[in-house]
Amino acid sequence: MSGADRSEAHDDRAAGERHARESDGEQPDDGTGAAPGRPAHDGTDAGGGAGSTSPGAGGSGGGAGDAPPGAGGPGPARQPRVPTPRACVEDGGLRLPGLTDPADHVPVPPGLTDPADHTPADHDPALPGLSHGVLKSLLGAWALAACSAAETAAVEEHLGDCGGCADEARRLREAVGLLHQPESLDLNPALRTRVLTGCLSRRPPRIPVPDWAVPYDAETARLDALLQDFGDPEWHAPVRLRWFDDDRPTSRRTTVAGVIAHLLSVDGLVATALGLEDPLPAAPGRGDGAVGPAGRTEAYWRAARFPPTRAVREPWREQSHSLVRTVSFTGSHAGGLPVAYGDFALPLHDAMLDRAFECWVHAADIAEAVHYPYEPPAPHHLHRMIDLAARLLPSVLAERRRAGLSAPGDRTPHLVPAGAPGRSLRLEIEGAGGGEWLIALDSPAAVGSADHEVAHVALDGVEFCHLAAGHISPEDAAAGQHGDRRAVRDVLFATASMSRM
């Protein structure tokens, strides 16, 4: 074949290959080995050039040997090194794939199928595609209730068929239960007092409460906080009031509502002294014997058509608020106003301390009846209550001598001049609110003196208050004693005799 014939045949083959590529959607080659719009490679990539790339990369190796198909030189046109961009399916005129429901294509998590043959491996019938290993790995999330609805159903169905996973799930569920320990929802009874103390210390009231009325304000607030969540069963829970009468323990059974009615009626003694309304239906003391605290309480209980209920809480709390407001407006100069208790009287500042003491004692009785903890008063309030009892002891000892319940001393007469030192007992109160007091034994007007000390008694502060409330007997009081045993006995019994209903 001549050179012209070979050239013509070569041109025919090149034209046929270009026509085939254009039919397949490829871009025509301009003979430079680069796509249209792209820069052509240098001559080193062409066939027969020195330092060309490896075979199949678009050139021949060092010009030696025959070039492979697609390389430079004779033969079919060479393919470009950089692939041409794929044409968009919309530009090629082809049909678009039809839309399908996304729910038809459920993604299979990695590891759920066997990579060898792409078929489900050891699948569980509860949820196709979930293997036993995957279901076992979901047990921790299932125990924490962190699985989806489909996973939860799959795991629970699997637990019915696999005993090993069922045991593991039970242990995990028990472990989760240990992570959530139950906590008490009851608030600390002292929380309200702490909050009020913090608030008042930062912003004192415009009209301050007198110091001698603060314990009453605090104790009534604590008792009201205890009562606010009571239901009908708690309001009708039985409570036994205890005190000493003629050196003998006495008690009276009532209910929680009856105790609040008792506090309401006795607080009325202070209310009437301040000119406030008497809570009793009729004025006492007119031939019915309802003069003292016990008489007023019995009169209130008798006047009610039905036993007291939770309705008594509102008038009691309103009366306590009125007492605090009134003494705050009248100021500290009203502290000496006498408050009659029937057979004796107390100045207003001592009467408010007495009411605070009784409110705490009966609040503890209520808490005991409903099996609820109740803390003693604040130490500085407790100290004021103990001080009141210590100041009243000389007068109580004199009354007991007149009644023949206590004998005078052997070496000194039972009466000494007013203001003169006489026989004394050192009362030492330990713990919160404690201190020391010298109790005059021979006369209320005598002065306690360390030089005339004949006995020494040591008691815990709360236990001394329980003795003064009649909740423990003098024989059972854990008292440290030294000196005149008869003087010690007289003081302990005199403390218990101060109690009343």
Side-chain angles (χ1 to χ4, degrees), residues 48-437:
S52 61
T53 57
S54 60
S60 61
D66 295 336
R78 155 178 78 82
Q79 295 291 337
R81 285 188 64 190
V82 180
T84 59
R86 297 182 61 182
C88 180
V89 67
E90 295 180 358
D91 297 337
L94 300 178
R95 293 180 58 189
L96 296 176
L99 296 178
T100 58
D101 188 358
D104 296 340
H105 300 278
V106 180
V108 180
L112 299 188
T113 58
D114 191 347
D117 55 3
H118 302 287
T119 58
D122 190 23
H123 69 277
D124 191 278
L127 186 62
L130 293 183
S131 64
H132 174 272
V134 173
L135 289 169
K136 185 175 182 180
S137 68
L138 291 175
L139 293 180
W142 173 83
L144 293 170
C147 290
S148 65
E151 291 172 340
T152 301
V155 170
E156 292 178 351
E157 185 169 349
H158 175 68
L159 295 181
D161 300 330
C162 182
C165 289
D167 293 338
E168 180 69 15
R170 177 181 54 81
R171 288 191 295 267
L172 290 173
R173 182 59 64 88
E174 292 175 354
V176 170
L178 296 176
L179 298 177
H180 304 281
Q181 293 292 341
E183 297 181 359
S184 176
L185 298 179
D186 292 335
L187 294 177
N188 188 340
L191 178 61
R192 185 178 187 275
T193 302
R194 290 202 303 267
V195 171
L196 290 177
T197 302
C199 294
L200 295 177
S201 63
R202 288 163 177 78
R203 185 179 179 182
R206 186 162 55 94
I207 301 177
V209 179
D211 291 341
W212 41 267
V214 171
Y216 176 79
D217 187 24
E219 293 307 312
T220 52
R222 287 210 304 153
L223 176 54
D224 186 61
L226 174 65
L227 299 174
Q228 65 180 354
D229 293 330
F230 278 13
D232 289 336
E234 287 81 11
W235 278 101
H236 296 289
V239 180
R240 185 168 293 277
L241 302 179
R242 294 168 291 168
W243 70 96
F244 266 71
D245 188 12
D246 293 333
D247 293 347
R248 293 190 304 272
T250 308
S251 64
R252 172 69 185 271
R253 184 173 178 175
T254 182
T255 62
V256 170
V259 174
I260 302 303
H262 166 61
L263 292 175
L264 172 68
S265 59
V266 181
D267 286 353
L269 292 171
V270 183
T272 54
L274 291 172
L276 301 177
E277 183 180 358
D278 194 334
L280 292 185
R286 298 179 181 176
D288 56 357
V291 178
R296 288 178 60 88
T297 301
E298 295 290 349
Y300 188 94
W301 288 344
R302 288 195 304 267
R305 295 182 56 187
F306 302 100
T309 62
R310 63 189 313 159
V312 75
R313 177 194 173 196
E314 183 176 353
W316 166 76
R317 194 65 178 121
E318 180 59 33
Q319 178 178 255
S320 64
H321 285 153
S322 299
L323 292 178
V324 174
R325 283 195 303 265
T326 303
V327 298
S328 299
F329 279 112
T330 55
S332 58
H333 63 274
L337 181 70
V339 177
Y341 276 75
D343 52 351
F344 66 96
L346 290 175
L348 179 61
H349 57 80
D350 286 345
M352 294 295 288
L353 281 175
D354 171 75
R355 302 313 308 142
F357 174 79
E358 187 167 359
C359 183
W360 162 48
V361 170
H362 290 320
D365 292 337
I366 293 173
E368 181 182 359
V370 297
H371 307 289
Y372 197 86
Y374 204 78
E375 298 295 328
H380 55 289
H381 294 169
L382 187 63
H383 178 82
R384 286 177 172 269
M385 299 174 188
I386 295 173
D387 178 73
L388 172 62
R391 289 188 285 109
L392 292 177
L393 272 176
S395 299
V396 175
L397 286 169
E399 291 293 335
R400 288 176 58 83
R401 276 195 299 269
R402 284 193 289 268
L405 299 175
S406 177
D410 297 333
R411 290 175 295 177
T412 58
H414 65 279
L415 291 177
V416 296
R423 289 188 315 133
S424 302
L425 178 141
R426 183 179 298 275
L427 177 63
E428 181 181 355
I429 302 300
E430 303 171 343
E436 288 189 357
W437 290 264

